[in-house]
Amino acid sequence: MTPSGRKSAGLLRGLATILLALGSGGAAPMALASTACVIDDAGQQLCLEQPAQRIVALSPSVTELLFAAGAGERVVGAVSFSDYPPEAEELPRIGSYDRLDLEALLALAPDLVVAWAGGNPREQVERLGELGIPVFHADASTFETIATTLERLGALAGTEEAAHRAAETLRQDVIELTEHYRDVEPVEVFYEVWESPLMTINGEHWISRSLALCGGVNLFSEQSPLVPRVAEEAVLAADPEVIITGGMGKADSTWLDAWRRYPQMSAVQRDNLFFINPDLVQRATPRLVEGTRALCRQLETARARR
């Protein structure tokens, strides 16, 4: 690093230290019986000598996870579209998940930042680490990793009991759903993530796993990208029995109308064009259980229309 670069880094560290002192009102830190250490989803160990008191969340999903883990009162900042639970809408914004406002973030004097390992700008997140701010990288992609993320966040925030309850409730709900739909007849599904360009999910995506739990067969599960582009002609050739989309918002089902131009499709013939609230399935949070239940009901409707 050049002398000017070291000077800049030193100034930023100094600013972060001053802001942290101001944010805590100069109070002495609370003591812990033992240091909390966890392994994050980037495989890195993170240890805190005391529970985090000022947490910044770098994705809407991370915000939800923190509140679900009982740490909502300690979240002091979040990115745009962090709208659940309702209290999250009042949080100060520090940019978007893909373009952070580091100045605004530092002004909040966080003692923990929870990053989205799969979506935040790597250089900006690395910069936070260089400034000495603890960073937990979250990248939940299955029901079990959602549960373990809740538990790890609870350990860092000192809300272990609430986090453990939330994780165990999630696990039990998944067990019940799995048992209920274990022997249902399969249904071939196309899940539309985006209209233009037309995009779907592969078999590794958590939405595809939820569909599989319901007996859904993702017709594009073998694609290599997690969220691959597909041609409209490929969907027509696959002829799904069901088409599901979250559209562009919580109540926007207009993308389904485009498929009605093809009355020869099985999904159109049987009126198996279903809309789902995207927040319930496109965020890897405990609400994915609610979204999975909705997907299962839609596939049950499709079976009844055979």
Side-chain angles (χ1 to χ4, degrees):
M1 182 182 291
T2 64
S4 62
R6 287 194 293 270
K7 181 178 180 181
S8 176
L11 289 173
L12 284 172
R13 288 192 186 93
L15 174 61
T17 301
I18 293 170
L19 289 170
L20 181 57
L22 290 173
S24 62
M30 294 188 305
L32 266 186
S34 61
T35 300
C37 291
V38 300
I39 303 296
D40 69 12
D41 290 329
Q44 300 174 357
Q45 185 181 60
L46 175 63
C47 296
L48 297 182
E49 295 181 357
Q50 62 185 45
Q53 300 296 311
R54 299 183 61 79
I55 306 173
V56 170
L58 301 191
S59 80
S61 296
V62 164
T63 303
E64 283 194 35
L65 288 165
L66 283 163
F67 274 86
E73 293 183 354
R74 304 184 183 191
V75 180
V76 297
V79 294
S80 55
F81 300 107
S82 295
D83 55 7
Y84 188 88
E87 302 94 300
E89 296 187 276
E90 306 301 320
L91 292 170
R93 300 309 190 202
I94 46 88
S96 61
Y97 78 89
D98 58 350
R99 188 173 182 179
L100 307 174
D101 183 339
L102 290 184
E103 183 177 355
L105 192 158
L106 288 172
L108 294 173
D111 53 9
L112 176 64
V113 169
V114 183
W116 175 23
N120 295 143
R122 185 178 64 181
E123 296 81 4
Q124 289 190 303
V125 175
E126 289 177 349
R127 185 62 176 150
L128 296 175
E130 292 170 358
L131 292 172
I133 299 174
V135 178
F136 177 93
H137 299 82
D139 195 21
S141 60
T142 67
F143 280 118
E144 182 54 28
T145 54
I146 294 171
T148 60
T149 298
L150 291 173
E151 292 169 331
R152 287 175 288 167
L153 292 176
L156 294 173
T159 58
E160 294 94 336
E161 185 176 344
H164 180 69
R165 285 198 304 268
E168 285 305 299
T169 296
L170 174 64
R171 292 184 176 109
Q172 186 58 42
D173 287 342
V174 173
I175 289 172
E176 292 174 1
L177 279 169
T178 302
E179 292 177 349
H180 185 80
Y181 291 99
R182 187 185 304 278
D183 299 318
V184 294
E185 295 181 1
V187 179
E188 294 184 335
V189 180
F190 171 68
Y191 186 92
E192 181 178 1
V193 173
W194 201 252
E195 181 184 42
S196 183
L198 188 60
M199 303 176 77
T200 186
I201 52 174
N202 75 1
E204 296 302 311
H205 198 284
W206 60 81
I207 298 177
S208 187
R209 297 177 193 273
S210 290
L211 286 168
L213 187 153
C214 304
V217 177
N218 176 5
L219 291 174
F220 293 90
S221 63
E222 299 303 317
Q223 297 289 316
S224 55
L226 194 67
V227 182
R229 295 187 181 188
V230 293
E232 190 174 83
E233 292 76 13
V235 180
L236 294 173
D239 192 25
E241 185 177 356
V242 168
I243 295 176
I244 303 174
T245 185
M248 294 184 66
K250 300 176 184 179
D252 182 5
S253 61
T254 54
W255 287 355
L256 293 174
D257 296 336
W259 296 108
R260 300 187 192 279
R261 296 174 298 163
Y262 305 106
Q264 74 277 16
M265 291 184 71
S266 297
V268 178
Q269 289 178 2
R270 302 178 188 180
D271 197 26
N272 289 335
L273 304 176
F274 298 115
F275 174 80
I276 189 166
N277 180 346
D279 289 353
L280 298 182
V281 292
Q282 291 177 194
R283 297 181 183 182
T285 73
R287 287 200 294 166
L288 182 58
V289 169
E290 182 181 347
T292 302
R293 289 194 182 102
L295 292 172
C296 289
R297 289 193 295 268
Q298 291 170 343
L299 298 194
E300 283 289 270
T301 297
R303 292 185 185 96
R305 290 174 176 171
R306 285 174 171 169

